[in-house]
């Protein structure tokens, strides 16, 4: 199976996303403890592949997948309920520093599944369907990934 990474949409493909996440957040996601992912920009709802960054001792590979649902915008950290804070597994002070006064988006994480064997980033490709240039580095935050229907590579 081969995947294609692009910010553009295309025909004949199933749209998913590849998201970069640092440990220990990856461990918290796949243990079921972390149910909310915080970002300063919204990510798409649907299936996400999880790239565990090398920063913080991660493996630098795609380690699993999950579904993002119910993206909720908060204009300030002060309007975030304690429930959302606890589901995100980060303290409010961290969110204040992270947001730097910007809006935050809470992405509900559903159905996390860690792979038995991590997948190399080069399994994914950037740009479109014709170029098939393997990724050599992960996205800064996230990017769209397309799985071409019928492609068995």
């Amino acid at each position: 199976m081969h995947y294609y990474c692009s910010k553009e949409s295309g025909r004949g493909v199933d749209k998913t996303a590849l998201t970069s996440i640092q440990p220990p957040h990856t461990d918290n996601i796949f243990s079921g403890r972390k149910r909310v992912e915080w970002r300063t920009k919204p990510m798409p709802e649907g299936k996400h592949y999880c790239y565990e960054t090398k920063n913080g001792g991660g493996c630098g590979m795609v380690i699993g997948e999950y579904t993002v649902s119910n993206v909720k915008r908060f204009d300030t950290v002060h309007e975030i309920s304690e429930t959302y804070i606890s589901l995100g597994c980060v303290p409010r002070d961290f969110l204040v520093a992270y947001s730097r006064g910007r809006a935050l988006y809470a992405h509900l994480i559903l159905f996390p599944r860690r792979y038995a064997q991590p997948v190399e980033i080069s399994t994914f490709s950037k740009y479109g369907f014709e170029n098939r240039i393997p990724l050599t580095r992960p996205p800064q935050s996230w990017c769209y990934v397309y799985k071409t229907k019928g492609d068995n590579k």
Side-chain angles (χ1 to χ4, degrees):
M1 194 149 321
H2 199 78
Y3 302 90
Y4 308 99
C5 185
S6 172
K7 291 280 184 182
E8 304 298 320
S9 63
R11 293 183 181 169
V13 294
D14 294 324
K15 193 187 307 187
T16 58
L18 175 65
T19 306
S20 295
I21 299 181
Q22 297 179 3
H25 303 299
T26 52
D27 290 333
N28 287 335
I29 287 170
F30 293 108
S31 71
R33 185 169 176 252
K34 181 176 173 78
R35 301 289 312 274
V36 168
E37 173 66 10
W38 294 102
R39 299 285 169 138
T40 56
K41 295 187 178 179
M43 296 188 301
E45 292 186 352
K47 184 176 179 177
H48 284 243
Y49 295 102
C50 179
Y51 174 86
E52 183 178 64
T53 66
K54 290 181 181 179
N55 186 15
C59 68
M61 298 174 79
V62 178
I63 62 167
E65 61 188 63
Y66 53 85
T67 300
V68 167
S69 180
N70 299 328
V71 178
K72 182 169 173 64
R73 178 188 165 113
F74 293 93
D75 290 321
T76 68
V77 174
H78 304 293
E79 64 186 64
I80 301 172
S81 71
E82 287 305 315
T83 301
Y84 271 94
I85 296 291
S86 66
L87 290 174
C89 294
V90 292
R92 189 177 297 274
D93 292 346
F94 172 86
L95 293 177
V96 169
Y98 172 67
S99 69
R100 293 181 289 166
R102 298 173 291 184
L104 285 173
Y105 294 85
H107 302 82
L108 182 63
I109 297 171
L110 303 172
F111 316 115
R113 182 172 70 92
R114 185 184 286 267
Y115 298 152
Q117 294 294 319
V119 177
E120 291 286 343
I121 193 76
S122 61
T123 303
F124 298 83
S125 294
K126 59 184 175 180
Y127 301 122
F129 317 113
E130 303 298 323
N131 296 327
R132 297 183 185 223
I133 301 168
L135 286 177
T136 56
R137 61 187 178 127
Q140 177 86 20
S141 179
W142 67 272
C143 69
Y144 282 116
V145 176
Y146 300 101
K147 178 178 128 184
T148 303
K149 292 178 181 172
D151 189 350
N152 293 322
K153 292 183 181 176

